Structure formats: C-alpha cells, structure tokens
PDB file of all heavy atoms in Angstrom:
ATOM      1  N   GLN A   1       3.244   9.354  -7.174  1.00 96.00           N
ATOM      2  CA  GLN A   1       2.781   7.978  -7.400  1.00 96.00           C
ATOM      3  C   GLN A   1       2.429   7.477  -6.058  1.00 96.00           C
ATOM      4  O   GLN A   1       3.152   7.591  -5.089  1.00 96.00           O
ATOM      5  CB  GLN A   1       3.568   7.154  -8.250  1.00 96.00           C
ATOM      6  CG  GLN A   1       3.559   7.335  -9.779  1.00 96.00           C
ATOM      7  CD  GLN A   1       4.409   6.274 -10.434  1.00 96.00           C
ATOM      8  OE1 GLN A   1       5.438   5.873 -10.090  1.00 96.00           O
ATOM      9  NE2 GLN A   1       3.801   5.706 -11.572  1.00 96.00           N
ATOM     10  N   LEU A   2       1.313   6.609  -6.062  1.00 97.00           N
ATOM     11  CA  LEU A   2       1.103   5.658  -4.895  1.00 97.00           C
ATOM     12  C   LEU A   2       1.195   4.253  -5.446  1.00 97.00           C
ATOM     13  O   LEU A   2       0.395   3.992  -6.467  1.00 97.00           O
ATOM     14  CB  LEU A   2      -0.229   6.046  -4.340  1.00 97.00           C
ATOM     15  CG  LEU A   2      -0.413   7.259  -3.581  1.00 97.00           C
ATOM     16  CD1 LEU A   2      -1.881   7.520  -3.196  1.00 97.00           C
ATOM     17  CD2 LEU A   2       0.407   7.300  -2.366  1.00 97.00           C
ATOM     18  N   VAL A   3       1.897   3.418  -4.712  1.00 96.00           N
ATOM     19  CA  VAL A   3       2.092   2.100  -5.336  1.00 96.00           C
ATOM     20  C   VAL A   3       1.797   0.993  -4.149  1.00 96.00           C
ATOM     21  O   VAL A   3       2.475   1.120  -3.073  1.00 96.00           O
ATOM     22  CB  VAL A   3       3.414   1.870  -5.868  1.00 96.00           C
ATOM     23  CG1 VAL A   3       3.632   0.382  -6.226  1.00 96.00           C
ATOM     24  CG2 VAL A   3       3.827   2.790  -7.035  1.00 96.00           C
ATOM     25  N   GLU A   4       0.726   0.250  -4.311  1.00 95.00           N
ATOM     26  CA  GLU A   4       0.403  -0.707  -3.313  1.00 95.00           C
ATOM     27  C   GLU A   4       1.170  -1.931  -3.501  1.00 95.00           C
ATOM     28  O   GLU A   4       1.506  -2.360  -4.591  1.00 95.00           O
ATOM     29  CB  GLU A   4      -1.121  -1.048  -3.330  1.00 95.00           C
ATOM     30  CG  GLU A   4      -2.084   0.081  -3.250  1.00 95.00           C
ATOM     31  CD  GLU A   4      -2.590   0.663  -4.477  1.00 95.00           C
ATOM     32  OE1 GLU A   4      -2.102   0.413  -5.456  1.00 95.00           O
ATOM     33  OE2 GLU A   4      -3.682   1.352  -4.423  1.00 95.00           O
ATOM     34  N   SER A   5       1.301  -2.705  -2.474  1.00 93.00           N
ATOM     35  CA  SER A   5       1.804  -4.065  -2.413  1.00 93.00           C
ATOM     36  C   SER A   5       1.228  -4.865  -1.454  1.00 93.00           C
ATOM     37  O   SER A   5       0.680  -4.431  -0.498  1.00 93.00           O
ATOM     38  CB  SER A   5       3.427  -4.069  -2.387  1.00 93.00           C
ATOM     39  OG  SER A   5       3.775  -3.507  -1.057  1.00 93.00           O
ATOM     40  N   GLY A   6       1.365  -6.229  -1.609  1.00 89.00           N
ATOM     41  CA  GLY A   6       0.764  -7.114  -0.482  1.00 89.00           C
ATOM     42  C   GLY A   6      -0.497  -7.839  -0.952  1.00 89.00           C
ATOM     43  O   GLY A   6      -1.147  -8.366  -0.195  1.00 89.00           O
ATOM     44  N   ARG A   7      -0.759  -7.855  -2.289  1.00 75.00           N
ATOM     45  CA  ARG A   7      -1.936  -8.540  -2.781  1.00 75.00           C
ATOM     46  C   ARG A   7      -1.875 -10.105  -2.415  1.00 75.00           C
ATOM     47  O   ARG A   7      -0.699 -10.583  -2.260  1.00 75.00           O
ATOM     48  CB  ARG A   7      -2.040  -8.387  -4.230  1.00 75.00           C
ATOM     49  CG  ARG A   7      -0.951  -9.129  -5.053  1.00 75.00           C
ATOM     50  CD  ARG A   7      -1.125  -8.725  -6.623  1.00 75.00           C
ATOM     51  NE  ARG A   7      -2.337  -9.286  -6.977  1.00 75.00           N
ATOM     52  CZ  ARG A   7      -3.038  -8.832  -8.134  1.00 75.00           C
ATOM     53  NH1 ARG A   7      -2.457  -7.858  -8.820  1.00 75.00           N
ATOM     54  NH2 ARG A   7      -4.074  -9.416  -8.579  1.00 75.00           N
ATOM     55  N   GLY A   8      -2.974 -10.701  -2.307  1.00 85.00           N
ATOM     56  CA  GLY A   8      -2.877 -12.071  -1.961  1.00 85.00           C
ATOM     57  C   GLY A   8      -4.264 -12.743  -1.864  1.00 85.00           C
ATOM     58  O   GLY A   8      -5.266 -12.253  -1.976  1.00 85.00           O
ATOM     59  N   LEU A   9      -4.067 -14.177  -1.910  1.00 95.00           N
ATOM     60  CA  LEU A   9      -5.161 -15.053  -1.730  1.00 95.00           C
ATOM     61  C   LEU A   9      -4.948 -15.670  -0.204  1.00 95.00           C
ATOM     62  O   LEU A   9      -3.965 -16.347  -0.066  1.00 95.00           O
ATOM     63  CB  LEU A   9      -5.229 -16.067  -2.686  1.00 95.00           C
ATOM     64  CG  LEU A   9      -6.253 -17.276  -2.486  1.00 95.00           C
ATOM     65  CD1 LEU A   9      -7.650 -16.682  -2.530  1.00 95.00           C
ATOM     66  CD2 LEU A   9      -6.073 -18.261  -3.642  1.00 95.00           C
ATOM     67  N   VAL A  10      -5.958 -15.552   0.617  1.00 96.00           N
ATOM     68  CA  VAL A  10      -5.840 -16.140   1.927  1.00 96.00           C
ATOM     69  C   VAL A  10      -7.098 -16.841   2.266  1.00 96.00           C
ATOM     70  O   VAL A  10      -8.231 -16.524   1.728  1.00 96.00           O
ATOM     71  CB  VAL A  10      -5.530 -15.152   2.995  1.00 96.00           C
ATOM     72  CG1 VAL A  10      -4.177 -14.395   2.763  1.00 96.00           C
ATOM     73  CG2 VAL A  10      -6.540 -13.998   3.107  1.00 96.00           C
ATOM     74  N   GLN A  11      -7.153 -17.731   3.207  1.00 97.00           N
ATOM     75  CA  GLN A  11      -8.309 -18.280   3.683  1.00 97.00           C
ATOM     76  C   GLN A  11      -8.933 -17.572   4.721  1.00 97.00           C
ATOM     77  O   GLN A  11      -8.324 -16.662   5.385  1.00 97.00           O
ATOM     78  CB  GLN A  11      -7.985 -19.771   4.328  1.00 97.00           C
ATOM     79  CG  GLN A  11      -7.481 -20.784   3.332  1.00 97.00           C
ATOM     80  CD  GLN A  11      -7.289 -22.118   3.846  1.00 97.00           C
ATOM     81  OE1 GLN A  11      -6.939 -22.235   5.120  1.00 97.00           O
ATOM     82  NE2 GLN A  11      -7.548 -23.138   3.039  1.00 97.00           N
ATOM     83  N   ALA A  12     -10.310 -17.718   4.887  1.00 97.00           N
ATOM     84  CA  ALA A  12     -10.975 -17.047   5.941  1.00 97.00           C
ATOM     85  C   ALA A  12     -10.298 -17.274   7.313  1.00 97.00           C
ATOM     86  O   ALA A  12      -9.876 -18.364   7.661  1.00 97.00           O
ATOM     87  CB  ALA A  12     -12.466 -17.597   6.019  1.00 97.00           C
ATOM     88  N   GLY A  13     -10.139 -16.167   8.013  1.00 97.00           N
ATOM     89  CA  GLY A  13      -9.523 -16.105   9.336  1.00 97.00           C
ATOM     90  C   GLY A  13      -8.094 -15.912   9.234  1.00 97.00           C
ATOM     91  O   GLY A  13      -7.358 -15.683  10.350  1.00 97.00           O
ATOM     92  N   GLY A  14      -7.547 -15.812   8.078  1.00 97.00           N
ATOM     93  CA  GLY A  14      -6.151 -15.516   7.899  1.00 97.00           C
ATOM     94  C   GLY A  14      -5.863 -13.987   7.938  1.00 97.00           C
ATOM     95  O   GLY A  14      -6.801 -13.115   8.139  1.00 97.00           O
ATOM     96  N   SER A  15      -4.605 -13.588   7.786  1.00 97.00           N
ATOM     97  CA  SER A  15      -4.183 -12.256   7.758  1.00 97.00           C
ATOM     98  C   SER A  15      -3.386 -11.806   6.546  1.00 97.00           C
ATOM     99  O   SER A  15      -2.813 -12.673   5.880  1.00 97.00           O
ATOM    100  CB  SER A  15      -3.173 -12.042   9.091  1.00 97.00           C
ATOM    101  OG  SER A  15      -3.915 -12.302  10.357  1.00 97.00           O
ATOM    102  N   LEU A  16      -3.363 -10.486   6.344  1.00 97.00           N
ATOM    103  CA  LEU A  16      -2.560 -10.009   5.116  1.00 97.00           C
ATOM    104  C   LEU A  16      -2.368  -8.650   5.496  1.00 97.00           C
ATOM    105  O   LEU A  16      -3.020  -7.887   6.201  1.00 97.00           O
ATOM    106  CB  LEU A  16      -3.508 -10.143   3.940  1.00 97.00           C
ATOM    107  CG  LEU A  16      -2.883  -9.988   2.558  1.00 97.00           C
ATOM    108  CD1 LEU A  16      -1.871 -11.161   2.325  1.00 97.00           C
ATOM    109  CD2 LEU A  16      -3.870  -9.985   1.511  1.00 97.00           C
ATOM    110  N   ARG A  17      -1.136  -8.244   5.077  1.00 97.00           N
ATOM    111  CA  ARG A  17      -0.698  -6.836   5.222  1.00 97.00           C
ATOM    112  C   ARG A  17      -0.380  -6.180   3.927  1.00 97.00           C
ATOM    113  O   ARG A  17       0.309  -6.597   3.114  1.00 97.00           O
ATOM    114  CB  ARG A  17       0.628  -6.734   6.083  1.00 97.00           C
ATOM    115  CG  ARG A  17       0.973  -5.409   6.505  1.00 97.00           C
ATOM    116  CD  ARG A  17       2.397  -5.363   7.135  1.00 97.00           C
ATOM    117  NE  ARG A  17       2.682  -4.021   7.780  1.00 97.00           N
ATOM    118  CZ  ARG A  17       3.859  -3.500   7.915  1.00 97.00           C
ATOM    119  NH1 ARG A  17       4.840  -4.121   7.273  1.00 97.00           N
ATOM    120  NH2 ARG A  17       4.091  -2.463   8.537  1.00 97.00           N
ATOM    121  N   LEU A  18      -1.152  -4.930   3.743  1.00 98.00           N
ATOM    122  CA  LEU A  18      -0.982  -4.151   2.455  1.00 98.00           C
ATOM    123  C   LEU A  18      -0.052  -3.021   2.870  1.00 98.00           C
ATOM    124  O   LEU A  18      -0.163  -2.532   3.980  1.00 98.00           O
ATOM    125  CB  LEU A  18      -2.375  -3.603   2.012  1.00 98.00           C
ATOM    126  CG  LEU A  18      -3.375  -4.701   1.741  1.00 98.00           C
ATOM    127  CD1 LEU A  18      -4.601  -3.999   1.197  1.00 98.00           C
ATOM    128  CD2 LEU A  18      -2.845  -5.728   0.672  1.00 98.00           C
ATOM    129  N   SER A  19       0.802  -2.724   1.965  1.00 98.00           N
ATOM    130  CA  SER A  19       1.639  -1.433   2.096  1.00 98.00           C
ATOM    131  C   SER A  19       1.417  -0.583   0.788  1.00 98.00           C
ATOM    132  O   SER A  19       1.042  -1.040  -0.245  1.00 98.00           O
ATOM    133  CB  SER A  19       3.135  -1.906   2.025  1.00 98.00           C
ATOM    134  OG  SER A  19       3.379  -2.835   3.137  1.00 98.00           O
ATOM    135  N   CYS A  20       1.616   0.770   1.068  1.00 98.00           N
ATOM    136  CA  CYS A  20       1.476   1.628  -0.064  1.00 98.00           C
ATOM    137  C   CYS A  20       2.663   2.681   0.179  1.00 98.00           C
ATOM    138  O   CYS A  20       2.743   3.320   1.246  1.00 98.00           O
ATOM    139  CB  CYS A  20       0.094   2.344   0.006  1.00 98.00           C
ATOM    140  SG  CYS A  20       0.006   3.741  -1.077  1.00 98.00           S
ATOM    141  N   ALA A  21       3.310   2.855  -0.900  1.00 98.00           N
ATOM    142  CA  ALA A  21       4.459   3.862  -0.941  1.00 98.00           C
ATOM    143  C   ALA A  21       4.168   4.989  -1.792  1.00 98.00           C
ATOM    144  O   ALA A  21       3.744   4.811  -2.978  1.00 98.00           O
ATOM    145  CB  ALA A  21       5.687   3.204  -1.274  1.00 98.00           C
ATOM    146  N   ALA A  22       4.313   6.269  -1.256  1.00 97.00           N
ATOM    147  CA  ALA A  22       4.193   7.437  -2.144  1.00 97.00           C
ATOM    148  C   ALA A  22       5.603   7.780  -2.576  1.00 97.00           C
ATOM    149  O   ALA A  22       6.506   7.797  -1.813  1.00 97.00           O
ATOM    150  CB  ALA A  22       3.594   8.547  -1.288  1.00 97.00           C
ATOM    151  N   SER A  23       5.720   8.261  -3.854  1.00 96.00           N
ATOM    152  CA  SER A  23       6.860   8.597  -4.390  1.00 96.00           C
ATOM    153  C   SER A  23       6.763   9.752  -5.353  1.00 96.00           C
ATOM    154  O   SER A  23       5.632  10.180  -5.742  1.00 96.00           O
ATOM    155  CB  SER A  23       7.644   7.493  -5.109  1.00 96.00           C
ATOM    156  OG  SER A  23       6.813   7.057  -6.234  1.00 96.00           O
ATOM    157  N   GLY A  24       7.837  10.442  -5.710  1.00 96.00           N
ATOM    158  CA  GLY A  24       7.714  11.570  -6.518  1.00 96.00           C
ATOM    159  C   GLY A  24       8.188  12.840  -5.719  1.00 96.00           C
ATOM    160  O   GLY A  24       8.615  12.833  -4.586  1.00 96.00           O
ATOM    161  N   LEU A  25       7.793  14.009  -6.360  1.00 95.00           N
ATOM    162  CA  LEU A  25       8.127  15.252  -5.716  1.00 95.00           C
ATOM    163  C   LEU A  25       6.970  15.630  -4.679  1.00 95.00           C
ATOM    164  O   LEU A  25       5.913  16.001  -4.946  1.00 95.00           O
ATOM    165  CB  LEU A  25       8.161  16.443  -6.713  1.00 95.00           C
ATOM    166  CG  LEU A  25       8.474  17.870  -6.137  1.00 95.00           C
ATOM    167  CD1 LEU A  25       9.726  17.802  -5.358  1.00 95.00           C
ATOM    168  CD2 LEU A  25       8.394  18.826  -7.187  1.00 95.00           C
ATOM    169  N   ILE A  26       7.306  15.235  -3.334  1.00 96.00           N
ATOM    170  CA  ILE A  26       6.331  15.214  -2.305  1.00 96.00           C
ATOM    171  C   ILE A  26       6.759  16.366  -1.372  1.00 96.00           C
ATOM    172  O   ILE A  26       7.766  16.460  -0.810  1.00 96.00           O
ATOM    173  CB  ILE A  26       6.190  13.905  -1.594  1.00 96.00           C
ATOM    174  CG1 ILE A  26       5.726  12.871  -2.429  1.00 96.00           C
ATOM    175  CG2 ILE A  26       5.298  14.053  -0.350  1.00 96.00           C
ATOM    176  CD1 ILE A  26       5.861  11.423  -1.838  1.00 96.00           C
ATOM    177  N   LEU A  27       5.713  17.383  -1.243  1.00 95.00           N
ATOM    178  CA  LEU A  27       5.983  18.481  -0.349  1.00 95.00           C
ATOM    179  C   LEU A  27       5.219  18.274   0.949  1.00 95.00           C
ATOM    180  O   LEU A  27       5.682  18.726   2.002  1.00 95.00           O
ATOM    181  CB  LEU A  27       5.482  19.837  -1.051  1.00 95.00           C
ATOM    182  CG  LEU A  27       6.356  20.126  -2.330  1.00 95.00           C
ATOM    183  CD1 LEU A  27       5.786  21.417  -3.013  1.00 95.00           C
ATOM    184  CD2 LEU A  27       7.790  20.167  -2.121  1.00 95.00           C
ATOM    185  N   SER A  28       4.056  17.652   0.841  1.00 95.00           N
ATOM    186  CA  SER A  28       3.346  17.367   1.994  1.00 95.00           C
ATOM    187  C   SER A  28       2.319  16.200   1.747  1.00 95.00           C
ATOM    188  O   SER A  28       1.833  16.106   0.730  1.00 95.00           O
ATOM    189  CB  SER A  28       2.448  18.622   2.420  1.00 95.00           C
ATOM    190  OG  SER A  28       1.426  18.846   1.486  1.00 95.00           O
ATOM    191  N   ILE A  29       2.114  15.505   2.861  1.00 96.00           N
ATOM    192  CA  ILE A  29       1.106  14.333   2.763  1.00 96.00           C
ATOM    193  C   ILE A  29       0.210  14.699   4.048  1.00 96.00           C
ATOM    194  O   ILE A  29       0.641  14.586   5.089  1.00 96.00           O
ATOM    195  CB  ILE A  29       1.709  13.061   2.846  1.00 96.00           C
ATOM    196  CG1 ILE A  29       2.686  12.754   1.623  1.00 96.00           C
ATOM    197  CG2 ILE A  29       0.566  11.953   2.747  1.00 96.00           C
ATOM    198  CD1 ILE A  29       3.277  11.451   1.595  1.00 96.00           C
ATOM    199  N   ASN A  30      -1.111  14.723   3.735  1.00 96.00           N
ATOM    200  CA  ASN A  30      -2.071  14.903   4.747  1.00 96.00           C
ATOM    201  C   ASN A  30      -2.684  13.507   4.991  1.00 96.00           C
ATOM    202  O   ASN A  30      -2.065  12.546   5.351  1.00 96.00           O
ATOM    203  CB  ASN A  30      -2.998  16.034   4.571  1.00 96.00           C
ATOM    204  CG  ASN A  30      -2.299  17.353   4.480  1.00 96.00           C
ATOM    205  OD1 ASN A  30      -1.480  17.746   5.444  1.00 96.00           O
ATOM    206  ND2 ASN A  30      -2.478  18.157   3.542  1.00 96.00           N
ATOM    207  N   GLY A  31      -4.040  13.418   4.860  1.00 97.00           N
ATOM    208  CA  GLY A  31      -4.731  12.272   5.263  1.00 97.00           C
ATOM    209  C   GLY A  31      -4.253  11.167   4.319  1.00 97.00           C
ATOM    210  O   GLY A  31      -3.965  11.327   3.037  1.00 97.00           O
TER     211      GLY A  31
END
C-alpha cells in the first residue's frame, strides 16, 4: 500500500508538505 498524508487548504504563496508511506511486503522500491 501507498498512503499519502498532508492534505490541506492554503493561501497562494503558502507551503505544504505531502508525505507518502509504503507498507506491506516490500522487497524493492525503485522510482
């Protein structure tokens, strides 16, 4: 699974950080 977090409402000029976590049986992650 890939689960994103960090959704939001911001004003123009503002900043936001999104994160994404991979979970499960992971043998390799490329791009």
Side-chain angles (χ1 to χ4, degrees):
Q1 280 189 317
L2 290 173
V3 178
E4 300 103 337
S5 60
R7 66 184 296 158
L9 170 62
V10 297
Q11 290 186 329
S15 297
L16 199 61
R17 189 191 195 212
L18 303 182
S19 301
C20 174
S23 63
L25 181 57
I26 297 171
L27 302 178
S28 66
I29 302 180
N30 293 310

